[in-house]
Amino acid sequence: MANTLKLQIVTPDAVTYSEDVEMVTLPGTEGEMGIYPQHVPLMTQIVPGELVVRKGGRDYFLAIGEGFVEITGERVAVMTDMAIRAENIDEAKAEEARRRAEARLAEKVDEEEGAMVSAALAHSLAQLKVKRRQHH
């Protein structure tokens, strides 16, 4: 029985992650999902938040955007509009983006712009959550 999964994270720009890992924790629409090797096949939606990778007994954190994940017993394939490793997050930029998005949402914006601003806000909040975890 295999004791690792192949985790692949794909964004519109590139394959941002492709490694064998022991476990993946994903932010699903119903809450966090822990995925181990031999997981039952599943395809589901993910929401902006924190993706945790356990590799070599250590946890690594990425901020991810919304998207989909396809899970098999051997593989976790994530398709998302954002994936940034914790060490690559610029906290000041993410905080500024959060402030701008919140200020824009406080104004009267149309539905389409509101959806775009909400998505930007979710991205910056995901980055801040992951980055601030590093400080602890």
Side-chain angles (χ1 to χ4, degrees):
M1 181 166 133
N3 58 356
T4 60
L5 289 158
K6 175 65 128 190
L7 172 62
Q8 294 178 303
I9 302 174
V10 180
T11 65
D13 303 326
V15 173
T16 57
Y17 193 97
S18 182
E19 294 183 32
D20 291 326
V21 304
E22 289 134 36
M23 181 195 170
V24 181
T25 304
L26 300 165
T29 54
E30 306 291 315
E32 283 191 347
M33 296 183 296
I35 313 298
Y36 290 91
Q38 308 305 312
H39 195 282
V40 61
L42 172 70
M43 184 158 208
T44 190
Q45 198 170 351
I46 53 173
V47 297
E50 181 176 64
L51 182 141
V52 186
V53 177
R54 174 137 331 127
K55 182 174 168 62
R58 288 192 53 211
D59 286 345
Y60 299 90
F61 302 91
L62 293 93
I64 63 167
E66 63 185 342
F68 291 92
V69 60
E70 182 184 14
I71 298 161
T72 67
E74 304 80 46
R75 188 171 72 100
V76 176
V78 177
M79 289 132 302
T80 179
D81 58 356
M82 176 186 80
I84 308 172
R85 293 174 193 241
E87 60 270 19
N88 296 336
I89 294 170
D90 182 327
E91 186 174 0
K93 272 189 184 166
E95 180 62 39
E96 176 58 27
R98 179 190 68 80
R99 277 199 303 270
R100 273 198 321 268
E102 286 179 347
R104 193 74 184 111
L105 282 178
E107 300 169 10
K108 291 279 185 252
V109 293
D110 64 38
E111 202 173 311
E112 187 178 339
E113 186 180 359
M116 287 171 44
V117 174
S118 292
L121 178 59
H123 279 190
S124 55
L125 290 173
Q127 290 179 54
L128 290 168
K129 178 179 181 184
V130 169
K131 190 64 176 183
R132 289 178 177 159
R133 174 188 287 284
Q134 273 195 316
H135 298 319
H136 299 147

